Amino acid sequence: MRSTTLLLGSCISLLGSANAQLTSTSKHSPSGTCFDGTGGPTGDFDWVVRSGEVFFFDTTSTIILGGPNGLPTMTQNAVNGLVDVRNLTIEEGAQVRVQGPNPMRILATGDVIVRGRLDLSGFHALSVATLNTGNQIEVGAAGGAGGGRGGNGNPVIIDSSPRGSGGQGPGNLLDAGGQGGETGYAPFGLGKDARRPGGGAGGRFARDQGPDLVAQNGADGSPLGTGAESGTSPARGGVTRPGAFVDGQARNDFFGEAPLFGPHGELLGLLRGELPSLWAGYGGGGGGNADPASVFPSPNWNFSRDEKGGAGGGGGGALHVQALGRIVFGLVGEIRSNGGSGAPGENTNFLDHIGGSGGSGSGGHVVLESATQIDFTDGGANVGALGRDWLSARGGPRITGHPSFVTPGARGYSNGGAGGPGVLQLHVPDPTLPPGTNPAKTDIVVPLNVAVARNPLDALASPGALALFLTCNPAPRANVGWFGAADREARRAFLRVALEGVPFAEPAEESPLALELDIMLDIMLDVEELLVPRRP
């Protein structure tokens, strides 16, 4: 009886959550920005960034020169990060470096060709380069293209700071990034290593994805010291925050709609991502101060007393490219939206970094959307290229002091946490087609070495990219209804797949538990057909 109750409760819960995630597939445009590109000022605005050029693009407002075939005959004022062109070409050896508070959005009625670099990464925090400046804040690094700013070091300038500031999330969302490290204090006579504080935590956007794609807490301080806020030993490193995804389901960690496949590769339905729109990365937390004192706050504080904590790194930015033509990558072409590095804390002797190090920012969000094709072979010119990261949204690294100057026993204290990964998305007319080398048989064209990889989308991006449907004016998707598969048996198959997270063992065929499961699924399908209208 207990198993029946568990199955019924799980299935009812599943029906609600599954239907909330699956979306309409006909006469319904998914949430998101629909294409409204015009081709630029007169419809033939081609923007070409020439080899050797570094173009700084600010998403507040930037003047762009362009015209037919890239001739600079017209100007466009790109406001709030929006670029409207016919074609965009970044030549090999050229770079577009993006900064500013807004995401970057590129609308192209033709092709977007990246043979150089498009960089929306968060910025690195500056090391504490001065001594005895407790009356000055160590300002957190800016995020790239709407990414969160890193947390400040030494945020209080009229007394000893109890903790570094937390990093920000996208859109200046306060304290959504990594938490700042706690200030540590210990009597001066115990030596500089005793007062080592907590380091700032790294920013988190997406889930952890392996040993080098993890958002890390800041390291604790010395066990000989005491935390300024907690009053316990050691001073605590900052902790990571939840980031953008909170429903606990890794498979919907994206924006838009993904194909949902059955156990035999059949299309069962469409899975809507948890993100409501284009997003961006999260900043790392600032490091804590090191305070030579017996109590906190120190009654004799002055601005030359503490060793200040370093600032946090900025979060990677947000990019949405929508092209009616192709999106093409050259042999060394790349798009980056990595997290910026946190900064080491203040020194007393060269690079000993007694102040806590800031955490690094997370990777950002890159959404590439072509109504034609995304091609990583430059039109077939680079079919033999080796796999590499054409796309990257990695978090910044863990921040430590230089081992030549940090006491061996203290090298694990006060370090800033690494930032976590971002999200990389490829939207094409038919994402159910596997990536391959033949442009007639796939919408994602990749070199041979990538095509034969176990997961080709992991072999061309870090973290691995996701293949998704177009966010606007989607192509017709036959035999797929309002909640996924229109046919009852396919719907049953979907529900069985979705039950993967239910906490009971897979029942043997014809067992009482299997029969109970079938009964529950039939009840669910009957209720759904009665209560939920189907789209034609």
Side-chain angles (χ1 to χ4, degrees), residues 184-210:
Y185 68 92
F188 184 83
L190 291 181
K192 63 182 183 180
D193 288 326
R195 59 181 180 268
R196 285 186 178 271
R204 183 194 302 279
F205 176 1
R207 61 186 174 86
D208 296 339
Q209 298 173 48

Side-chain angles (χ1 to χ4, degrees), residues 199-226:
R204 183 194 302 279
F205 176 1
R207 61 186 174 86
D208 296 339
Q209 298 173 48
D212 60 346
L213 292 170
V214 175
Q216 296 176 330
N217 292 336
D220 292 341
S222 169
L224 298 177
T226 304

Side-chain angles (χ1 to χ4, degrees), residues 416-427:
V423 178
L424 302 170
Q425 303 183 191
L426 305 178
H427 296 251

Side-chain angles (χ1 to χ4, degrees), residues 333-336 387-392 394 458-463:
E334 60 180 347
I335 295 178
R336 292 181 177 180
R388 64 175 184 86
D389 292 340
W390 281 267
L391 305 172
S392 62
R394 302 174 63 88
D458 285 351
L460 58 81
S462 183

Side-chain angles (χ1 to χ4, degrees), residues 123-152:
F123 290 87
H124 303 318
L126 299 177
S127 297
V128 181
T130 57
L131 302 176
N132 305 323
T133 55
N135 56 345
Q136 298 176 17
I137 294 173
E138 295 295 321
V139 178
R149 178 177 288 277
N152 296 334

